[in-house]
Amino acid sequence: GERAPMDVSELRIVLVGYRNAGKSSVGNTIFGRAEFGSKQAIKCVTRRGKTSGIHVTLVEAPGWKANIALERSPLLIKRELERSITLCAPEPHVILLVIDVDKSFKERHRRAVQEHLELLSEKVWNHTIVLFSCSLSLGDSTIEAADMEKLKTELEERAAKRRKIVLRENETLMFKKTNHWNNCTNSSNVPGDSPHLSQVRIVLLGYRGSGKSSSGNIIIGREQFDPVGRTAQCEKREEEISGRQVTVVDTPGWGCDVTIENAPERTKREILLGMSLCPPGPHALLLVVRVENSVTEKRKKTIEEYVELLNEGAWDHTIVLFTYGEYLGDTTIEEFIESEGKPLQTLVEKCGNRYHVFKHKNRRNVTELLEKIEDMVAKNNGRVYTADKDRLEVMNQKREEEGKKACERMRSVQNKRKNSKSLMGEFIAFDSFCSFTQFLHGCTEIYTVNNSINFINYRKI
Ligand SMILES: Nc1nc2c(ncn2[C@@H]2O[C@H](COP(=O)(O)OP(=O)(O)O)[C@@H](O)[C@H]2O)c(=O)[nH]1
Ligand SMILES: [Mg+2]
């Protein structure tokens, strides 16, 4: 039979999702004003209004505890979920299932969603649209829609101010730079051309997955660092770029939510040893930060501790390198820095307001980055970062000793395996792969079994 054309002048929506998934914010976005309060509701909340010329009825059902089994969910919540449909009589056009992309979503969360949604109707899935929200980008504060415009203007003003400061610093620097290069022998100064270093040494620093190896590849212009596997030891690559001999050192990253005192000694050591791969020392430390990962106060503190692990003076040689720049769209990096709040702003300021943005696999602004490095070197009167020699020597010895021990251990394990069935294989047979990887969470190597034992690189699960 023929279907009656849908009356688009009216839309009935049910908003469902676990607690704090962002249902109310979604509701407010739909209406363009703060209709739903931030207070936790345990009963359905109905709002009617006109948005984009459509009469909208929106029912927000109370959220369940994100990972609760249906049988343990309070009766009131279940009853209200069932009632939400009746509040959209004759029936809702759509059920919006809100899921927060910034929170983990494991099997037990999925099961909770399924069980709770199927209370509405068996056919609920035919009418459901998943709506991804991101709570973290908004911080802890609930932003009132009425305040949105004001906030936006404020942000734009602060961003413009930041751009101005950076520009002014650049002008002062140009003067200093010209003076510096006039006295410097290390520059290949082609007449009429802007002066530049003949050699640029760079060390990449940052938490795991921030995009260090990928950025190394962007700078070098070839896939030289492995951006799929985890970088366990510092590595060096060289290439001539825009008339400069460029050395890039990649280092292992730290877990972004692991404080430095809980970090493996090995990670700290490898980061330090990275400095010795480009003697007499790097011109620039690139502190890699992913634009779509919020720098919380806690993460900022850890970043600071790692930079200061090198020494206090390291800040003078550091530039923040933002990766995932494409995520910004047409938002400027300054607007982004201002909207992220204090932690990121403090970090950028510690680096003397030096920053640069990389977009995925886009090499266009590599030369610009090299120029920013040269500006910084000029500001430092040609000084490069130098690590304490004795300290590096101790680290080097430790690394060698550990290497030897690791070889011995491997050999003894191999010998044992010849005699008995693999220990790992037996272990996995008794455990599911998932909990096994959980168990090894944070280990450098994970062994997995498919017929034989393979070595795979560990990636964030
Ligand atoms: N979309 C996007 N992905 C990126 C970008 N930079 C890195 N990645 C991806 O992020 C993941 C982690 O990057 P990687 O370079 O290995 O990070 P590292 O641990 O700091 O070395 C990889 O899958 C990269 O392909 C970027 O600018 N944009
Ligand atoms: Mg890496």
Side-chain angles (χ1 to χ4, degrees):
E2 228 173 73
R3 274 167 124 195
M6 190 182 146
D7 178 11
V8 285
S9 64
E10 201 211 344
L11 199 55
R12 296 179 300 273
I13 304 171
V14 177
L15 273 173
V16 294
Y18 48 79
R19 252 171 13 213
N20 292 322
K23 295 185 292 300
S24 303
S25 312
V26 167
N28 291 340
T29 308
I30 290 173
F31 283 119
R33 57 178 187 274
E35 278 279 351
F36 294 91
S38 56
K39 243 177 69 194
Q40 206 55 251
I42 197 125
K43 284 196 166 172
C44 289
V45 180
T46 309
R47 294 282 177 270
R48 288 190 183 82
K50 208 169 172 182
T51 177
S52 313
I54 303 170
H55 288 283
V56 175
T57 303
L58 209 133
V59 176
E60 180 184 345
W64 55 89
K65 186 169 176 283
N67 59 4
I68 203 168
L70 183 67
E71 64 201 28
R72 289 201 288 122
S73 220
L75 276 174
L76 181 61
I77 291 201
K78 292 186 225 181
R79 206 182 60 211
E80 286 297 305
L81 267 166
E82 285 166 340
R83 195 169 74 96
S84 68
I85 300 288
T86 64
L87 294 172
C88 281
E91 77 273 301
H93 292 102
V94 65
I95 291 148
L96 290 181
L97 168 63
V98 184
I99 290 179
D100 184 348
V101 292
D102 289 322
K103 297 196 178 113
S104 71
F105 194 83
K106 303 246 169 74
E107 174 54 23
R108 58 180 188 279
H109 300 107
R110 191 202 59 77
R111 200 177 320 123
V113 167
Q114 178 172 350
E115 290 174 351
H116 283 86
L117 239 67
E118 285 178 356
L119 282 178
L120 306 185
S121 135
E122 261 170 54
K123 293 195 204 116
V124 67
W125 304 107
N126 297 340
H127 308 277
T128 304
I129 293 177
V130 178
L131 204 118
F132 290 107
S133 65
C134 29
S135 60
L136 284 186
S137 348
L138 289 175
D140 296 331
S141 58
T142 323
I143 296 169
E144 300 283 314
D147 292 337
M148 279 294 205
E149 271 311 303
K150 201 171 133 221
L151 193 82
K152 192 161 165 272
T153 323
E154 268 176 27
L155 262 176
E156 280 164 1
E157 280 169 6
R158 294 216 308 267
K161 217 160 122 191
R162 175 174 293 277
R163 260 197 302 277
K164 241 186 237 157
I165 293 173
V166 173
L167 272 177
R168 206 175 322 125
E169 275 178 13
N170 278 349
E171 277 166 22
T172 331
L173 214 60
M174 270 317 283
F175 178 72
K176 206 167 169 183
K177 196 179 172 185
T178 318
N179 276 341
H180 174 69
W181 297 123
N182 287 343
N183 309 323
C184 194
T185 47
N186 190 18
S187 62
S188 60
N189 202 344
V190 186
D193 225 8
S194 72
H196 62 78
L197 290 166
S198 58
Q199 240 197 44
V200 182
R201 299 180 297 275
I202 296 169
V203 175
L204 295 158
L205 289 178
Y207 51 84
R208 202 156 56 233
S210 57
K212 294 179 295 302
S213 303
S214 309
S215 299
N217 290 336
I218 292 182
I219 296 170
I220 293 289
R222 277 182 288 126
E223 296 277 304
Q224 287 280 306
F225 297 106
D226 179 7
V228 178
R230 178 168 151 183
T231 315
Q233 262 204 356
C234 46
E235 291 172 27
K236 171 168 99 168
R237 302 283 184 275
E238 282 168 306
E239 187 68 45
E240 196 185 310
I241 302 156
S242 323
R244 304 152 174 99
Q245 188 60 34
V246 177
T247 306
V248 178
V249 174
D250 192 10
T251 60
W254 57 86
C256 84
D257 286 313
V258 181
T259 58
I260 196 163
E261 72 252 20
N262 290 327
E265 280 309 311
R266 182 195 160 99
T267 308
K268 296 181 220 172
R269 191 185 63 213
E270 283 302 317
I271 290 173
L272 262 165
L273 282 174
M275 307 298 147
S276 62
L277 283 187
C278 52
H283 291 99
L285 307 167
L286 296 184
L287 180 60
V288 185
V289 172
R290 238 164 105 154
V291 153
E292 35 76 280
N293 264 2
S294 203
V295 178
T296 58
E297 184 58 39
K298 202 171 134 210
R299 289 177 184 175
K300 184 209 76 169
K301 197 161 161 272
T302 304
I303 293 175
E304 285 173 350
E305 284 170 340
Y306 273 98
V307 174
E308 284 159 19
L309 178 76
L310 304 175
N311 62 35
E312 274 282 335
W315 292 111
D316 294 342
H317 307 275
T318 306
I319 295 176
V320 181
L321 178 62
F322 290 105
T323 53
Y324 281 71
E326 75 275 11
Y327 169 87
L328 288 174
D330 51 13
T331 304
T332 64
I333 186 65
E334 286 79 13
E335 278 175 73
F336 174 76
I337 294 170
E338 293 306 325
S339 64
E340 276 293 288
K342 265 275 164 285
L344 183 60
Q345 285 161 23
T346 316
L347 197 68
V348 167
E349 261 135 48
K350 281 209 160 178
C351 298
N353 254 321
R354 292 178 294 267
Y355 49 83
H356 191 72
V357 187
F358 266 178
K359 293 195 173 101
H360 202 33
K361 305 209 164 141
N362 185 343
R363 287 205 80 221
R364 267 205 311 251
N365 50 6
V366 170
T367 315
E368 199 186 317
L369 171 67
L370 295 176
E371 283 164 5
K372 283 183 187 171
I373 292 176
E374 282 159 354
D375 290 351
M376 180 176 70
V377 174
K379 197 175 176 192
N380 289 330
N381 296 316
R383 267 185 316 115
V384 298
Y385 167 84
T386 38
D388 184 68
K389 279 220 176 64
D390 296 339
R391 198 168 163 211
L392 287 180
E393 188 49 42
V394 173
M395 300 276 169
N396 232 331
Q397 273 168 12
K398 272 199 189 148
R399 187 209 252 170
E400 271 174 31
E401 279 164 28
E402 268 177 33
K404 269 186 214 146
K405 276 191 203 152
C407 272
E408 283 164 23
R409 179 182 297 276
M410 206 157 77
R411 224 171 285 136
S412 89
V413 169
Q414 277 168 352
N415 284 338
K416 273 187 202 151
R417 269 174 54 194
K418 271 182 208 153
N419 305 327
S420 68
K421 262 169 74 187
S422 138
L423 203 75
M424 281 294 176
E426 279 170 22
F427 180 76
I428 293 176
F430 285 103
D431 213 313
S432 74
F433 181 72
C434 181
S435 47
F436 177 60
T437 50
Q438 291 284 326
F439 167 76
L440 281 178
H441 190 89
C443 296
T444 322
E445 300 109 0
I446 282 185
Y447 291 86
T448 172
V449 172
N450 6 340
N451 301 327
S452 62
I453 293 186
N454 299 321
F455 174 79
I456 61 163
N457 273 314
Y458 168 82
R459 301 276 315 141
K460 199 168 167 187
I461 298 163

